[in-house]
Amino acid sequence: MYLYPMGIFGKKDQLQIIAFQTYGTKDHLYARGRALEDEEIDLVEKGWYGILRNTYKRFETDEIKNTPIDLTLSDGRSVAGHTDNHGYFLIDNSLSGLDVLTNSEGWLPYEISYSDPFLKRTIKAENRFPGEILIPPTNADYGVISDIDDTILHTGVASFLKWKALYNTFFKTASIRVPLKGAAEFYHQLHRGSSGSGANPIFYVSNSPWNLYRYLEFFLTKNRFPKGPILLRSMAATLGNRKTEKPHKTHEIENILKTYPKLKFVLIGDSGEHDADIYKAINEQYPNRILAIYLRDVGHRKRMKRIKTLFADYHTPVSFVEDSDQAEIHAKELGLI
């Protein structure tokens, strides 16, 4: 028997499934997402009350726990899954011939649905929710792994007690958040590569919780960044309640490198938190896999001084940039674009 919570105002909201954009290979299916009540969050709503209400809904989620789901591919094949105690699902299966189902950019479409025959709640979209998995083309020149906060999105994680980050996240809608000037254009150049017609995969990694997935997805889409998997973490890990052996970004980057052992990567981050230390450790653990490292200066003099010392006379190209124009010049010199 499954028990489902009531909505924010005591009513029963319709059920939905949010499928996160993930990545896989031609013979490995890896899908993630979350089953939730649909709180009808308006990502473009204005006004303090509306913004605060939507922020509350985003974090006070009503999960659909411990319930069966089905993933169906465009060729009719289906894989069963199950949500956990927080409504998350992970479908991690070996399955051949996935690459023939992708589009020219390498995206594999699928549908996810509830499969509990005793589920009495109203389900949105006729119980058919779209999802996508990126399977990079075999002719990709390289991949790009990028941070989000203060790398492509003004956030303020380096501010005192992170007050700017909190203000920007909780009191600004995704529709008015401002990307760093020229960032989207630079990422498109990396996506297209030196030929100008490639489809190099872009992976976005952030320490933000999964609760902000649609918020960040909307921001990236609205500002025309190349589409790519958005890799976040659980709220428990964000609040420090879950002890892990490795930092979230390290774990995600290592998974990407292990998934595509023949592909080299460009790493993009900023000087605000721990990107420099993580990227250097990754580069030394996986020699000859990193083509270049870009670190944007967030204006913290002491941190930038330490980071430049960290990479003094370094064997891998490292560029400390203040804007996308500087990064573009450096990338052209390396033949990346």
Side-chain angles (χ1 to χ4, degrees), residues 161-179:
L161 296 179
K162 299 188 178 181
W163 72 268
K164 286 185 179 179
L166 294 173
Y167 174 81
N168 287 326
T169 299
F170 291 104
F171 298 101
K172 285 188 177 181
T173 64
S175 62
I176 65 171
R177 297 293 296 276
V178 179

Side-chain angles (χ1 to χ4, degrees), residues 76-319:
R77 285 184 289 176
S78 181
V79 180
H82 208 271
T83 65
D84 65 14
N85 197 45
H86 299 283
Y88 291 104
F89 69 84
L90 170 61
I91 297 177
D92 190 356
N93 287 66
S94 296
L95 210 62
S96 62
L98 297 176
D99 55 330
V100 301
L101 304 178
T102 62
N103 63 16
S104 60
E105 293 285 305
W107 287 97
L108 169 73
Y110 67 85
E111 288 185 342
I112 196 84
S113 59
Y114 291 100
S115 57
D116 178 7
F118 301 104
L119 192 60
K120 303 300 182 181
R121 296 283 299 281
T122 302
I123 302 174
K124 292 192 67 176
E126 298 180 351
N127 197 21
R128 297 170 63 184
F129 301 91
E132 290 181 299
I133 298 171
L134 178 62
I135 300 177
T138 56
N139 61 349
D141 295 325
Y142 55 84
V144 177
I145 302 174
S146 173
D147 178 41
I148 296 178
D149 299 317
D150 285 326
T151 299
I152 60 177
L153 169 64
H154 285 288
T155 302
V157 293
S159 61
F160 180 67
L161 296 179
K162 299 188 178 181
W163 72 268
K164 286 185 179 179
L166 294 173
Y167 174 81
N168 287 326
T169 299
F170 291 104
F171 298 101
K172 285 188 177 181
T173 64
S175 62
I176 65 171
R177 297 293 296 276
V178 179
L180 295 173
K181 183 180 179 181
E185 292 81 0
F186 177 55
Y187 279 53
H188 273 289
Q189 290 186 72
L190 292 171
H191 177 55
R192 294 306 177 193
S194 58
S195 69
S197 59
N200 298 327
I202 310 283
F203 302 85
Y204 301 98
V205 182
S206 171
N207 281 328
S208 296
W210 285 112
N211 304 65
L212 292 176
Y213 176 82
R214 281 194 163 170
Y215 183 97
L216 293 173
E217 180 187 41
F218 181 89
F219 168 83
L220 292 170
T221 301
K222 177 181 180 294
N223 292 287
R224 300 183 178 181
F225 281 86
K227 185 166 68 172
I230 303 171
L231 309 172
L232 309 180
R233 60 178 179 170
S234 69
M235 180 62 78
T238 303
L239 296 175
N241 296 329
R242 180 178 297 176
K243 293 183 178 180
T244 57
E245 294 181 359
K246 299 179 180 178
H248 164 70
K249 286 184 181 179
T250 300
H251 174 74
E252 293 292 352
I253 294 172
E254 287 185 352
N255 278 347
I256 295 170
L257 266 63
K258 291 175 182 178
T259 301
Y260 310 110
K262 296 182 179 180
L263 196 62
K264 295 187 178 183
F265 286 87
V266 173
L267 305 180
I268 307 178
D270 61 78
S271 64
E273 290 195 300
H274 306 293
D275 291 349
D277 301 273
I278 291 173
Y279 291 177
K280 183 177 182 182
I282 288 290
N283 187 48
E284 293 174 357
Q285 185 176 353
Y286 296 88
N288 303 315
R289 295 289 307 280
I290 306 303
L291 294 173
I293 298 173
Y294 291 92
L295 294 168
R296 194 184 79 83
D297 186 355
V298 299
H300 196 292
R301 186 175 299 178
K302 287 186 178 181
R303 292 184 184 183
M304 201 63 196
K305 183 179 180 180
R306 184 190 73 84
I307 290 172
K308 287 184 177 181
T309 302
L310 190 68
F311 287 105
D313 301 318
Y314 204 57
H315 53 278
T316 296
V318 180
S319 181

Side-chain angles (χ1 to χ4, degrees), residues 39-58 170-177 215 218:
E39 302 289 353
E40 299 182 349
I41 296 173
D42 184 355
L43 291 169
V44 298
E45 185 170 5
K46 299 179 181 179
W48 285 98
Y49 175 75
I51 293 173
L52 287 173
R53 180 184 59 205
N54 285 332
T55 299
Y56 175 80
K57 289 180 178 180
R58 191 174 290 118
F170 291 104
F171 298 101
K172 285 188 177 181
T173 64
S175 62
I176 65 171
R177 297 293 296 276
Y215 183 97
F218 181 89

Side-chain angles (χ1 to χ4, degrees), residues 3-65:
L3 298 177
Y4 303 102
M6 301 290 283
I8 185 173
F9 298 115
K11 65 183 180 67
K12 289 186 176 182
D13 296 314
Q14 292 184 334
L15 306 187
Q16 64 175 336
I17 301 178
I18 300 175
F20 306 142
Q21 289 174 343
T22 56
Y23 60 92
T25 68
K26 65 178 182 178
D27 52 16
H28 198 99
L29 182 75
Y30 186 82
R32 300 179 71 173
R34 199 176 191 190
L36 301 165
E37 287 190 4
D38 183 11
E39 302 289 353
E40 299 182 349
I41 296 173
D42 184 355
L43 291 169
V44 298
E45 185 170 5
K46 299 179 181 179
W48 285 98
Y49 175 75
I51 293 173
L52 287 173
R53 180 184 59 205
N54 285 332
T55 299
Y56 175 80
K57 289 180 178 180
R58 191 174 290 118
F59 288 91
E60 197 285 317
T61 54
D62 293 324
E63 306 89 1
I64 312 305
K65 307 174 181 179

